[in-house]
DNA sequence: TTCATGTATTCGCCTATCCGAATACATGAA
DNA sequence: TTCATGTATTCGGATAGGCGAATACATGAA
C-alpha cells in the first residue's frame, strides 16, 4: 500500500499519462485497437490532417505504446499492448460511477 | 470493440487523463490512497509548497477525483474511488511489461 | 534515375499550464 | 472582534505542447 518511489511515478507519467494527455491520441489508440492502420488510413478515418496524426503517432511511438511495420512506402501502426485499452475502459467506468454517485448526491 | 464516441473520449480526457498530466498529482493521489490528509500534511509529506499542493488539489477536486471534508480550519482530502489507484497500478504493470519486452528485443 | 505515393519534420504562432511569491480568505478559539 | 492557523487565489514570468502550412524524406515501381 506504500507509494511507489517518485522515479517510478515519473516513468509512469512520462510514458503513459503524458501520452494520454491529448484526446486525439486517445482516439488514435482506440482506433488502432480496433485495427492496425496506415497513417493515411488513420487520418481519413479520424478526420485529422496527416501531419497531425503523424505527430501524435510519434509521441506514442517514442513512449513505446505503439509499434510500426513497413508496408512498402506506408507504415502500419499497431497497439503494443491490448491492456492499454482495458485500462482506458476501466477509467471510463470509474468516471461513469463517480459522476453517477455525484449526481445522486446532488438530487 | 468499437471506439467510444468522441464526446466520451473528451470526458475521459478532461476528467481523468488531464488530471494525471502532472507527476505531482499522481504522487498526491497515491498519498491520499495511503491515507486521507490535510493540505499541510500533504505538503509536508511530499516536500511541496502549500500553494502548489492546494492548486493541484483544486484540479483533482474539479474533476471529482477527490472529496473534501472540513476539520476545523483544516480541510481533509481523500480519494473518491480506490479504483483510481488500481488503474494507475495496472498502467505501471503494463509499462513494466512493455519495457521488459522491448529490452529483450534489443538484446 | 525519376516519379508517385506515403510519411515525417520544421516553422511560426497561439494557448495552456506550471511555478514562486505574495496575499486574500475561512474557521474556530480566546 | 481579534488573532492564529490553515487553505485558496492572484500575479507575472517561464515553459511545454498544440496546430496549420509548407516542405523534406523514404520507398518501390517504371
Amino acid at each position: 500500500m506504500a507509494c511507489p518511489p517518485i522515479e517510478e511515478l515519473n516513468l509512469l507519467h512520462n510514458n503513459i499519462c503524458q501520452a494520454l494527455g491529448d484526446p486525439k491520441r486517445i482516439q488514435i489508440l482506440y482506433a488502432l485497437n480496433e485495427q492496425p492502420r496506415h497513417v493515411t488510413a488513420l487520418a481519413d478515418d479520424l478526420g485529422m490532417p496527416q501531419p497531425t496524426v503523424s505527430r501524435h503517432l510519434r509521441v506514442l511511438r517514442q513512449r513505446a505504446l505503439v509499434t510500426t511495420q513497413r508496408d512498402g512506402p506506408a507504415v502500419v501502426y499497431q497497439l503494443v499492448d491490448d491492456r492499454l485499452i482495458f485500462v482506458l475502459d476501466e477509467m471510463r467506468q470509474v468516471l461513469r460511477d463517480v459522476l453517477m454517485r455525484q449526481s445522486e448526491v446532488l438530487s
Side-chain angles (χ1 to χ4, degrees), chain A residues 70-75:
Chain A
R70 274 226 164 259
D71 174 25
V75 177

Side-chain angles (χ1 to χ4, degrees), chain A residues 40-107:
Chain A
T40 302
L42 267 176
D44 290 346
D45 295 348
L46 301 180
M48 305 178 194
Q50 175 267 323
T52 295
V53 173
S54 192
R55 270 187 301 236
H56 284 307
L57 285 172
R58 177 175 51 181
V59 173
L60 297 174
R61 183 166 23 92
Q62 287 172 336
R63 287 159 179 75
L65 303 189
V66 299
T67 58
T68 59
Q69 182 182 352
R70 274 226 164 259
D71 174 25
V75 177
V76 180
Y77 281 79
Q78 67 177 331
L79 266 191
V80 74
D81 195 313
D82 291 343
R83 287 176 295 171
L84 288 171
I85 298 299
F86 293 162
V87 171
L88 286 172
D89 282 340
E90 283 178 343
M91 293 200 308
R92 290 199 296 136
Q93 186 58 51
V94 171
L95 180 58
R96 269 194 296 271
D97 292 348
V98 166
L99 295 179
M100 177 77 77
R101 258 179 277 156
Q102 200 180 40
S103 64
E104 284 172 2
V105 170
L106 293 179
S107 65

Side-chain angles (χ1 to χ4, degrees), chain A residues 25-44:
Chain A
R25 283 198 289 269
I26 300 179
Q27 212 180 339
I28 288 174
L29 289 176
Y30 268 102
L32 291 181
N33 177 62
E34 191 182 341
Q35 179 180 356
R37 260 176 267 217
H38 294 189
V39 176
T40 302
L42 267 176
D44 290 346

